[in-house]
């Protein structure tokens, strides 16, 4: 069953076309990675799919709901923005309870979910600390977990491991891998190893367009490259890098 | 539930900011103490405790505009707002979530000011309760100022406009520190067109038991509060769609 389907999705900012005629589908429970160099249109795509930006053309359906009816879509998605997004003066547990509350959970249910999530992500030692006092790495982890706690059907992770050390990154990979099959995930990342390790399918964007879509293995075979990074570089360079 | 969860977060963000407490409670109380000390040495009708207290309460409310404006402006310019905008919160949830916590904070602030005034000889009777109720529309007026400025300005600009301009404007033109009739002319004319002078007068009438004199002044305040809240909601909704 299809969880995400975009047809000719387009977004313009003035004379610049940030995303052009984007069409792809993601099956339910699959992880789809959107890759591309800076300015490729990945974040704009996420913003359109998560109803933060209205497209200028095309359509996108999330579990059959159009992004032009945002409230229905928002009830089924979770988003971890590119920058850390936490309430600074709230404690870690309170941040998590807030996410449950604004998604409609009653207070008791929110507290239960927060306690479970804190235990599941090994956050006991920071549970009662205010977010503003945490290190950048912990804030980042909290920010990602805040997108997970509401148990969304579709999860958008915009560069989730940016700024995390290698251990924290691997820990988050383990978590994301555990979600696969249950939650549909759209991931953007600059870490090619991350996409290779996690994604069922990968789309490479360049100058707002989807230039290739395949598995990591398929891209390696298609280009005859030694590894995925070389394949990515070759595919991105094929039409010449704009300066 | 969603509104309550968001309102609870906003309450915590405001009360956990030590500067908010220092300015919102400390400043009005210091002024009350200082002016009462002057009154005991150089008796002056203007600084008599039953004349001074309603004015200091209104002056304190101007800091509520600063709190709410800063919170909204900071949220607006942070990734946290991106996260909130991808949640199923509606415009109504946002507006009530920002406004609701400020009403009890304003009441609490007024109660504390009156409690301090009692140490300087204000007799605590039913008229004190009536005065606090009569001054609620003024609290709503200042909350609307905060919502409006928070929706259209950056947090630094809110600091300047609400923290300096509005607090001074409401202080000078309210008749709390001196009788605007003594200045007369254009100054008194402007003071009587704006709501601050009327808000203080309505409070003074309520406290002194001149009930029939309350309403001409209170209508001015209610009119301004309703109109400004409508403008503020419009500004917030426009900014929400724009952002």
């Amino acid at each position: 069953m299809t969880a995400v389907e975009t047809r000719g999705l387009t977004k313009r900012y003035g004379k610049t076309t940030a995303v052009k005629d984007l069409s792809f589908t993601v099956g339910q429970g699959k992880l789809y990675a959107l890759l591309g160099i800076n300015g490729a249109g990945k974040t704009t795509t996420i913003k359109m799919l998560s109803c933060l930006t209205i497209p200028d053309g095309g359509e996108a359906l999330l579990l059959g709901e159009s992004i032009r009816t945002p409230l229905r879509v928002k009830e089924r998605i979770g988003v971890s923005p590119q920058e850390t997004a936490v309430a600074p003066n709230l404690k870690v547990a309170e941040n998590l309870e807030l996410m449950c509350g604004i998604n409609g959970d009653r207070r008791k249910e929110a507290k239960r979910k927060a306690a479970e999530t804190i235990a599941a992500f090994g956050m006991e030692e920071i549970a009662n600390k205010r977010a503003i006092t945490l290190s950048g790495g912990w804030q980042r982890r909290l920010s990602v977990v805040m997108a997970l706690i509401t148990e969304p059907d579709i999860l958008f992770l915009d560069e989730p491991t940016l700024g995390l050390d290698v251990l924290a990154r691997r820990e988050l990979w383990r978590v994301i891998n555990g979600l696969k099959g249950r939650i549909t995930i759209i991931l953007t990342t600059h870490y090619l190893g991350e996409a290779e390790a996690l994604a069922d399918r990968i789309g490479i964007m360049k100058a707002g367009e989807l230039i290739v879509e395949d598995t990591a293995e398929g891209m390696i075979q298609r280009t005859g490259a030694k590894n995925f990074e070389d394949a990515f570089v070759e595919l991105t360079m094929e039409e010449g890098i704009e300066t | 539930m969603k509104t309550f969860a968001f309102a609870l977060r906003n309450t915590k963000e405001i009360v956990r900011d030590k500067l908010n407490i220092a300015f919102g409670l400390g400043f009005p109380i210091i002024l009350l103490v200082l002016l009462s000390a002057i009154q005991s040495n150089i008796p002056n009708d203007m600084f008599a405790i039953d004349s001074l207290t309603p004015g200091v309460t209104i002056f304190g409310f101007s800091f509520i505009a600063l709190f709410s404006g800063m919170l909204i402006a900071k949220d607006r310019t942070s990734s946290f707002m991106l996260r909130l905008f991808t949640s199923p919160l509606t415009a109504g949830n946002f507006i009530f979530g920002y406004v609701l916590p400020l009403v009890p904070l304003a009441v609490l602030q007024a109660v504390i000011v009156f409690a301090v005034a009692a140490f300087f000889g204000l007799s605590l009777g039913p008229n004190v309760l009536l005065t606090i109720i009569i001054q609620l529309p003024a609290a709503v007026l200042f909350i609307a100022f905060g919502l409006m400025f928070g929706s259209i300005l950056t947090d630094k600009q809110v600091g300047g406009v609400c923290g300096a301009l509005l607090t001074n404007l409401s202080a000078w033109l309210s008749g709390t520190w001196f009788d605007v009739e003594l200045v007369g002319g254009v100054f008194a004319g402007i003071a009587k067109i704006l709501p601050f002078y009327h808000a203080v007068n309505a409070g003074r009438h309520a406290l002194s038991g001149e009930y029939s004199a309350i309403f001409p002044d209170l209508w001015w305040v209610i009119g301004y509060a309703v109109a400004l809240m409508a403008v503020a909601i419009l500004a917030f909704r426009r900014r929400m769609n724009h952002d």
Side-chain angles (χ1 to χ4, degrees), chain A residues 52 71 74-75 79-80 83-90 94 98 101-103 105 107 130 143 146-147, chain B residues 1-2 4-6 8-9 12-13 16-18 79-90 243:
Chain A
L52 282 171
L71 205 56
K74 287 175 179 179
E75 284 170 350
V79 181
S80 173
E83 289 168 31
T84 299
V86 298
N89 280 321
L90 260 56
E94 290 170 340
L98 169 69
I102 62 175
N103 276 276
D105 285 338
R107 212 164 170 198
R130 289 191 198 177
S143 184
M146 284 169 74
Chain B
M1 197 62 219
K2 292 174 190 171
F4 176 76
F6 186 51
L8 186 65
R9 173 261 168 177
K12 288 175 180 172
E13 287 282 356
R16 286 178 183 174
D17 189 330
K18 290 186 180 75
S79 297
F80 187 67
M81 194 56 116
L82 276 186
R83 159 154 275 150
L84 295 178
F85 279 173
T86 61
S87 76
L89 286 178
T90 61
D243 285 345

Side-chain angles (χ1 to χ4, degrees), chain A residues 16-18 34-44 82 158-159 162 188-192 204-209 232 236 241-243:
Chain A
T16 306
T17 303
L34 270 179
L35 304 184
I37 55 171
N38 289 335
K42 305 182 297 292
T43 296
T44 303
Q82 196 175 94
D158 197 359
E159 301 195 26
L162 193 73
T188 75
T189 183
H190 281 292
Y191 299 113
L192 300 177
I204 297 180
M205 292 185 75
K206 183 181 171 187
E209 293 185 72
F232 172 82
T236 311
I241 293 176
E242 291 166 4
T243 54

Side-chain angles (χ1 to χ4, degrees), chain B residues 120-169:
Chain B
F120 293 95
L122 183 76
S123 59
L124 294 178
N127 282 347
V128 167
L129 185 64
L130 178 69
T131 307
I132 292 173
I133 293 168
I134 291 297
Q135 291 192 316
L136 278 181
V140 173
L141 174 76
F142 281 103
I143 291 169
F145 270 121
L147 184 61
M148 185 177 74
F149 289 129
S151 301
I152 58 176
L153 304 174
T154 65
D155 56 336
K156 282 183 183 165
Q157 289 168 330
V158 169
V161 171
C162 290
L165 192 64
L166 186 63
T167 48
N168 275 298
L169 200 69

Side-chain angles (χ1 to χ4, degrees), chain B residues 26-37 52 56 59 63 177:
Chain B
F27 216 27
I29 289 171
I30 288 169
L31 278 171
L32 196 64
V33 172
L34 283 177
L35 294 174
S36 296
L52 186 62
V56 172
F59 176 68
F63 290 99
W177 319 124

